[in-house]
Amino acid sequence: MDVTDALLNHWRVRTTDPRRLFGKRLRELRTERGFSQEKLAEIADLHRNYVGVLERGGQFASLDAICKLAHALKVKPAELLENQP
């Protein structure tokens, strides 16, 4: 495997990682509403650092956090889990 193949494989894993996809969707919804990470965290009763970690795909969100974020963003929890192109 050459360097190009290795980079392509790395990119595919990163873009299909459910944590990263969730984080991307969370960031999209947050910015559409004009919220900072801090404001979203305050409304959702979560720590700002946790919201940042989720947006970066650093860890899986708990079901409780998904529900709190969805409520704060005024969407159904499933909408946070949708993969957008």
Side-chain angles (χ1 to χ4, degrees):
M1 179 184 296
D2 67 5
V3 173
T4 304
D5 289 336
L7 286 172
L8 284 173
N9 285 337
H10 178 71
W11 181 81
R12 279 188 205 106
V13 168
R14 290 186 62 182
T15 57
T16 59
D17 180 347
R19 292 171 296 189
R20 290 190 183 275
L21 292 172
F22 177 85
K24 180 181 178 220
R25 184 66 177 142
L26 177 60
R27 183 177 294 118
E28 287 171 355
L29 291 169
R30 176 181 61 78
T31 57
E32 282 174 8
R33 282 147 182 80
F35 293 158
S36 65
Q37 286 181 350
E38 186 172 11
K39 184 64 177 176
L40 176 59
E42 179 184 320
I43 295 168
D45 193 28
L46 298 169
H47 196 281
R48 182 189 59 80
N49 291 346
Y50 182 58
V51 172
V53 168
L54 293 177
E55 285 191 1
R56 289 188 301 278
Q59 72 182 71
F60 287 106
S62 69
L63 181 57
D64 185 52
I66 292 170
C67 291
K68 286 180 173 185
L69 290 164
H71 181 73
L73 294 166
K74 297 187 180 352
V75 297
K76 293 180 181 179
E79 204 169 326
L80 281 168
L81 304 172
E82 291 177 354
N83 293 331
Q84 300 297 316

